[in-house]
Structures are given as C-alpha cells and as structure tokens.
Amino acid sequence: MPELPEVETTCRGIKQYIEGQQLTHVIVRNHKLRWPISSEIKHLKNIKIEQVKRRGKYIIIETQQGAFIIHLGMSGRLNVIMNEPKKEVQKHDHVDFVFNQDIIIRYTDPRRFGSIFWTKTNPLEHFLLEHLGPEPLEKNFTGQYLYKKSQKSRLQIKKFIMDAKIVVGVGNIYANEALFASRILPFRLSNTLRLEECNLLVKNIRTILKTAIKKGGTTLKDFLTPEGQLGYFSQKLLVYGREGKPCIGCGARLSSSRIDNRATVYCNYCQN
DNA sequence: AGTATCTCCTGCGTGC
DNA sequence: TGCACGCAGGAGATAC
C-alpha cells in the first residue's frame, strides 16, 4: 500500500543501483496493468539511465531516449535483485528491468492497479502528471494556498486533501493522521476551514510525511534485499487502524466511519 | 464546473 | 473444509 513515503523510499532505493547504468532490456510478462503496458517497451535495448525522480506517487526514470513513468498502485513494489540471475519468477512479477552487472529491478504487483508508461516527451507533461498539484514538502504548499483552494470547494476536508489536484501524495492513512493531529473532523466541508486551521493542517501533513520518509529510510537496507520489506507500519499511527481504541489525547474510544468509501478514524472529542 | 459514484484486481480475514 | 462476502487501496472515467 504505497503512500508517498514508500514511493520516495523506493526511489532512493533503486536510484543508487541504476543511475548511470545501462539498461539492457525489459521483460514484460504481463502487460495488463491499470493501463496496458505499451509493446514499445519490449523493444527497448541498451539505454543509459540518467536520473530517477519522483512526482507525487509517480516514479520517473529518465533515460537518454525517453522516460519510464511508474505508479505502484496499491500493491506494487520495485525490488532490486542483485547477483541472482536465476531467482525464481513468481506469480505477480510482471516486469523486469534488466541491467548489466547482474542487476534486475523487478516490478511486482498482485492487484495490478499500478502502471508503467514509456514516453519520449517531457514526463511531467504526461496526461497523468500534468494536472498534479504541489508537492506537500515543497515551499509552494502553504496554509494560504490550501485556504484559498478550500474556500472554493464543498468536499469533505478528508477527501479534499486526498485530491491530487490540490496536493499530491496524501493517501488515506496520512489524511486520517494529519486531521487528527490538526484536531479537525474529517467530515468538515472544506469551505468551513479557517486560515489558522489550514496553516496547521499543512504543517502537520508535512511533519507526518517527513517522519514517515525518515522511517522508510531506516529500513532501506532491508528493502533492498530480495525478501525485503519496507517496514511501512513501523511508523506510529495514532488513529488509522485504531478504531475503538483509546484516543492518545483524551482516552475516549476512537470513532470510525467511511468517507468516499474509505476507512476514516477520528476522535469525536479532540477533533472538531 | 464541481461533486458523487463506479471501476480496475487479488489476497486475506470473517462468518456461516 | 469450503464458500461467500467484505474490505483494503489510488485515481481516472463516467454520470449527474
């Protein structure tokens, strides 16, 4: 269930192995992802990787001839396989990016909600990326910005901050956490938020994502082993997955509900 | 144009 | 032991 911190960790993880390296070819075992993988990819040969970047939850691998745009969906992973050319291919190992020096970047995705695109034009202008809002950790994501946007919308605030056109990278788990930290009820309509609340919300989204990225970083080494896990849930979640358990603020039982059919957990007393 | 709902998919946990 | 079911989740497509 990759959220932005996991995608960032994945980026950092593969970066050190493939930047400047020669991609010899790509093996596509199953092209049926969220969008079908272009058959063009199978014909790529011997391309130098220039840079690995991230935009929102998209991983961008820039090469001398074009760029890969990879989204991990909800169950996707990119694993680094080193010096194990005969490592058994498993059921959901859909794509291998094969490098010389015995390095394979293997895309695994049981639910196939992810996607892999190849583009020869600017990846940031790809139809999936062009409309994306600001990065939550960049300077242009401010309380003032969020306030201005929020006044024009009547979406429930939780859904609003999960909208990639408003800000990228805030998934369900961190939306719950950020609203709890900001003492804002997730049901509030966006246009009822005050500027101070938007300031606080922006600050908390930032802090929570940064902390999570740090935690991801500490498990980076494990992640890179073939059996590696990201240690995703090692982060302390204060509300997500804790419905019915005591609120760490006031001790009351945390409530749960659904917004946009997503699990929503909150404290009826601390948040308003 | 803004908002609500539907949809893609598999694995896992739960209840009968 | 097996089956049916609900849930998890990102985000574009479609419907209002």
Side-chain angles (χ1 to χ4, degrees):
Chain A
M1 295 154 256
E3 294 240 13
L4 182 133
E6 236 173 328
V7 177
E8 176 64 27
T9 303
T10 299
C11 267
R12 293 180 187 180
I14 62 171
K15 195 182 175 79
Q16 57 190 312
Y17 291 97
I18 67 171
E19 273 187 1
Q21 299 298 312
Q22 195 87 358
L23 174 71
T24 44
H25 62 289
V26 182
I27 300 168
V28 178
R29 296 188 197 85
N30 187 348
H31 70 279
K32 290 182 190 163
L33 301 185
R34 174 77 160 84
W35 283 275
I37 298 177
S38 154
S39 57
E40 206 183 345
I41 286 184
K42 289 185 289 193
H43 305 301
L44 299 174
K45 271 197 182 74
N46 301 320
I47 323 174
K48 191 176 175 188
I49 304 294
E50 291 183 327
Q51 207 185 0
V52 179
K53 300 198 291 192
R54 178 186 65 74
R55 174 77 175 101
K57 291 179 185 168
Y58 294 92
I59 296 163
I60 302 171
I61 300 176
E62 292 192 339
T63 78
Q64 279 179 332
Q65 294 174 32
F68 295 100
I69 301 173
I70 301 174
H71 196 292
L72 301 176
M74 297 194 295
S75 55
R77 289 198 325 260
L78 284 176
N79 281 330
V80 179
I81 300 173
M82 285 176 71
N83 306 315
E84 284 183 276
K86 287 183 183 159
K87 186 176 167 66
E88 199 178 329
V89 171
Q90 305 208 300
K91 193 176 170 188
H92 303 297
D93 295 341
H94 306 311
V95 179
D96 278 2
F97 296 87
V98 183
F99 292 79
N100 48 22
Q101 300 175 344
D102 286 332
I103 292 176
I104 296 171
I105 303 292
R106 178 163 288 173
Y107 177 85
T108 306
D109 186 1
R111 285 171 231 179
R112 290 190 276 121
F113 274 20
S115 51
I116 299 178
F117 285 89
W118 168 254
T119 176
K120 287 182 176 168
T121 55
N122 182 356
L124 297 178
E125 286 165 16
H126 189 269
F127 78 98
L128 290 172
L129 280 70
E130 62 176 355
H131 68 272
L132 293 180
E135 289 287 330
L137 301 180
E138 304 260 314
K139 283 186 182 149
N140 55 349
F141 180 56
T142 64
Q144 187 65 248
Y145 162 84
L146 192 71
Y147 179 67
K148 206 175 159 189
K149 287 277 184 188
S150 67
Q151 294 313 103
K152 293 180 203 155
S153 165
R154 291 177 50 78
L155 290 180
Q156 291 177 312
I157 187 62
K158 176 161 175 268
K159 187 165 163 57
F160 184 73
I161 57 172
M162 288 175 69
D163 183 346
K165 288 195 280 298
I166 302 303
V167 57
V168 297
V170 182
N172 191 44
I173 295 171
Y174 295 116
N176 278 301
E177 295 298 317
L179 287 166
F180 174 73
S182 308
R183 307 173 73 93
I184 299 168
L185 276 178
F187 311 101
R188 290 263 303 278
L189 300 188
S190 344
N191 64 351
T192 68
L193 264 72
R194 290 173 285 114
L195 175 59
E196 310 85 81
E197 292 177 311
C198 289
N199 283 331
L200 189 58
L201 189 50
V202 164
K203 197 182 126 224
N204 282 317
I205 288 172
R206 281 217 162 104
T207 309
I208 287 169
L209 290 177
K210 271 189 202 164
T211 308
I213 289 171
K214 263 190 200 160
K215 300 263 179 176
T218 63
T219 57
L220 204 56
K221 204 159 158 262
D222 292 339
F223 161 68
L224 291 173
T225 68
E227 297 80 19
Q229 296 292 314
L230 275 169
Y232 179 54
F233 282 104
S234 71
Q235 184 175 27
K236 216 172 222 161
L237 300 174
L238 302 184
V239 284
Y240 184 82
R242 295 194 66 244
E243 57 273 21
K245 295 193 175 135
C247 167
I248 59 114
C250 71
R253 283 162 57 93
L254 292 173
S255 309
S256 71
S257 177
R258 301 188 78 78
I259 286 178
D260 198 28
N261 212 22
R262 301 271 152 79
T264 303
V265 188
Y266 59 98
C267 175
N268 235 331
Y269 303 93
C270 294
Q271 292 169 259
N272 35 74

